[in-house]
Amino acid sequence: MANFFNRLRLSPPRILVCGFALIIVLGAVLLSQPFASKDGSALRYIDAIFTATSATCVTGLVVVDTGTYFSVTGQLILLMLIQMGGLGFMTMATLIALMLGKRISLRERMVLQEAMGQQNMEGIVRLIRQVIVFSVTIEAVGALLFTIRWAFDMPLGQAAYFGLFHAVSFFNNAGFDVFGEYRSLTPYVDDPFVNMVSMALIILGGIGFVVMKEVWEHRKFGKKLSLHSKVVLAMTGFLILIGALVIFTFEFTNTLEPLNWRGKILASLFQSVTPRTAGANTLDLAELRQASQFFLIILMFIGAGPGSTAGGIKITTLATLFGCVKAMSRGKQDIVLFHHRLAPDRVFKAVTVTMMGLGLVIIVAMVLSTTEDAAFIRILFETVSAFGTVGLSTGLTPDLSDIGRILLSVTMFAGRLGPLTLAYALGPGTEKELYRHPEGKLIIA
């Protein structure tokens, strides 16, 4: 597949867009076949496109319940799409090429660099190998732990299948589950084992493969962590802690009230971890207070780490914006994080990504507010969930009109690839400017 796109001489962003689009179309064709459903019915193609997009973009929003509608074959197709979408089609293509002993061309390395969000191509193939090893190992351990736990609740074969499906889904931050009836993990709201394993998989998938690699080398070889890894780890811990405190405070006398103290703490932590950007939930999100729902919207918009299986504007973008505010409020020219000065282009990119993401969310939410009969907070929730490739839902998605499903499909696609990558792919080629305009003065209040 990668060689085919290379022959077309497409730019790396366009190769990524075309690759993901092709996977979605092929996935939709498979999901629309009678063998993909339990009752042998054919899923409407627009619903198949929505589901394939949600799986490939590792989101988790569904218009039909995964556990009750799809057959085992259909669920395995979803699992394949989730794995390909989480790792990226170029990573999977590189894996196949390496297994066949083929050489990775310079152009393919450039596409891998774009896909992994790296600033240079040095060691990119070695990084891909490590990504695959990390992914398979973590998913296997997660599947084993889930199997052991669920073997107490169901037959061993079913427990093993459930363990594999949810380990892959949660590590890739997809949010799909096969428990049925749109329940997600609500039956395990106060189960410490299921909660901790799930959160560990989600966090590992969300911090990014580069950070996992550096943490591993830091512990094993004593190598220093880069600025990127320090920012991702610090912001991840900060957002989880703040999120848990906010959810605990707002929901203490609401959805948390029936739970004991262990359940309250676990539920608060879990609902703080999953909006960035896993899509599983242990509380009924439709029953949350609007303040809690709005706070989850903020977390979903932020997302997790770059080069990971997560979406959103990314926590490094948020850290850059925080640094910009801090520097400006103190009258300083340089933005400094962990004693490192950020280059101006990083700041420009952070502002651009944020504004483009915000613009997309605003436009889609406004259109949906005219096509759908629902409260605006629920519409905004589903929109940001799609953009952040989260998959959390207040229950609105299955009731969306066809226009709403198309809009959210496009939003999930843009959120997974990133608005900036999509703009590069769809826009005209860039040319180096041969001159600079004169500097002007603009009053900013």
Side-chain angles (χ1 to χ4, degrees):
M1 186 185 296
N3 287 331
F4 170 74
F5 289 125
N6 284 334
R7 292 192 189 101
L8 297 179
R9 309 306 296 175
L10 298 175
S11 65
R14 288 178 180 172
I15 291 177
L16 292 178
V17 170
C18 292
F20 271 96
L22 182 58
I23 292 173
I24 289 171
V25 171
L26 293 176
V29 171
L30 292 175
L31 291 174
S32 63
Q33 302 305 309
F35 58 74
S37 65
K38 287 185 176 180
D39 59 5
S41 63
L43 185 65
R44 288 196 318 150
Y45 195 67
I46 191 170
D47 293 339
I49 281 285
F50 185 96
T51 306
T53 304
S54 184
T56 306
C57 298
V58 289
T59 304
L61 290 175
V62 293
V63 290
V64 293
D65 184 67
T66 308
T68 57
Y69 180 84
F70 290 107
S71 63
V72 173
T73 302
Q75 292 172 7
L76 290 177
I77 292 172
L78 284 174
L79 201 64
M80 177 184 66
L81 293 175
I82 290 169
Q83 188 70 83
M84 294 182 68
L87 295 181
F89 88 99
M90 275 304 300
T91 301
M92 301 299 292
T94 303
L95 171 62
I96 295 173
L98 292 174
M99 292 174 63
L100 296 176
K102 293 185 177 181
R103 185 179 181 85
I104 308 301
S105 68
L106 177 62
R107 188 170 184 79
E108 289 169 337
R109 292 169 191 262
M110 291 172 63
V111 181
L112 287 170
Q113 176 190 350
E114 178 74 22
M116 299 301 295
Q118 297 298 291
Q119 297 186 32
N120 55 67
M121 288 186 292
E122 182 181 357
I124 192 68
V125 176
R126 183 171 64 253
L127 174 61
I128 295 301
R129 290 195 184 99
Q130 293 171 330
V131 165
I132 295 168
V133 171
F134 278 136
S135 300
V136 172
T137 302
I138 293 171
E139 289 172 354
V141 172
L144 177 61
L145 293 175
F146 277 146
T147 300
I148 294 172
R149 170 60 186 86
W150 286 328
F152 291 97
D153 300 340
M154 58 189 74
L156 182 59
Q158 185 182 9
Y161 174 68
F162 272 44
L164 174 63
F165 188 97
H166 294 95
V168 174
S169 178
F170 292 167
F171 175 71
N172 287 286
N173 282 209
F176 281 86
D177 70 271
V178 290
F179 288 106
E181 300 177 358
Y182 303 102
R183 291 183 299 170
S184 191
L185 292 179
T186 52
Y188 300 96
V189 61
D190 59 351
D191 187 311
F193 190 87
V194 172
N195 274 262
M196 297 308 293
V197 173
S198 300
M199 285 190 288
L201 288 170
I202 293 166
I203 293 171
L204 288 173
I207 61 176
F209 299 108
V210 173
V211 177
M212 280 193 285
K213 170 180 174 291
E214 288 194 12
V215 170
W216 172 258
E217 293 178 345
H218 174 72
R219 292 179 59 86
K220 194 171 183 179
F221 306 112
K223 291 186 178 180
K224 292 184 178 181
L225 294 176
S226 65
L227 172 64
H228 172 79
S229 294
K230 290 178 180 178
V231 170
V232 169
L233 293 173
M235 289 298 294
T236 297
F238 172 75
L239 290 175
I240 290 175
L241 179 60
I242 294 298
L245 289 174
V246 171
I247 296 298
F248 185 85
T249 302
F250 285 139
E251 296 300 317
F252 188 82
T253 58
N254 189 33
T255 54
L256 297 179
E257 189 172 19
L259 304 175
N260 56 29
W261 276 97
R262 182 181 69 185
K264 285 180 170 63
I265 294 173
L266 287 174
S268 299
L269 282 171
F270 197 88
Q271 264 59 230
S272 176
V273 169
T274 53
R276 305 175 18 260
T277 57
N281 57 284
T282 57
L283 296 176
D284 185 352
L285 301 182
E287 298 298 323
L288 296 179
R289 289 193 169 102
Q290 287 194 9
S292 301
Q293 292 177 347
F294 187 72
F295 184 75
L296 293 184
I297 288 173
I298 296 173
L299 292 180
M300 291 191 294
F301 185 77
I302 294 170
S308 69
T309 58
I313 62 171
K314 305 295 188 301
I315 49 181
T316 48
T317 299
L318 180 66
T320 302
L321 296 178
F322 279 166
C324 185
V325 172
K326 179 181 177 181
M328 183 60 65
S329 62
R330 295 186 178 182
K332 297 182 178 180
Q333 292 184 339
D334 293 334
I335 298 174
V336 179
L337 299 175
F338 289 100
H339 307 291
H340 286 77
R341 174 173 52 85
L342 296 185
D345 68 301
R346 298 296 90 187
V347 182
F348 293 151
K349 187 172 184 179
V351 173
T352 303
V353 168
T354 303
M355 294 305 297
M356 292 180 73
L358 191 60
L360 177 63
V361 167
I362 291 173
I363 292 172
V364 174
M366 287 177 63
V367 175
L368 287 178
S369 67
T370 63
T371 63
E372 313 302 320
D373 183 18
F376 184 74
I377 186 71
R378 297 182 67 197
I379 290 174
L380 183 61
F381 194 98
E382 308 290 309
T383 302
V384 178
S385 181
F387 168 74
T389 67
V390 181
L392 292 178
S393 174
T394 59
L396 177 61
T397 300
D399 299 325
L400 288 174
S401 64
D402 287 347
I403 295 177
R405 297 179 188 205
I406 293 172
L407 277 174
L408 284 195
S409 295
V410 173
T411 306
M412 288 187 285
F413 189 73
R416 178 65 181 97
L417 288 166
L420 198 55
T421 299
L422 204 58
Y424 286 151
L426 300 178
T430 57
E431 297 181 0
K432 186 176 181 180
E433 292 185 347
L434 301 179
Y435 60 90
R436 296 183 70 186
H437 293 280
E439 182 179 302
K441 300 294 183 180
L442 183 66
I443 299 175
I444 304 293

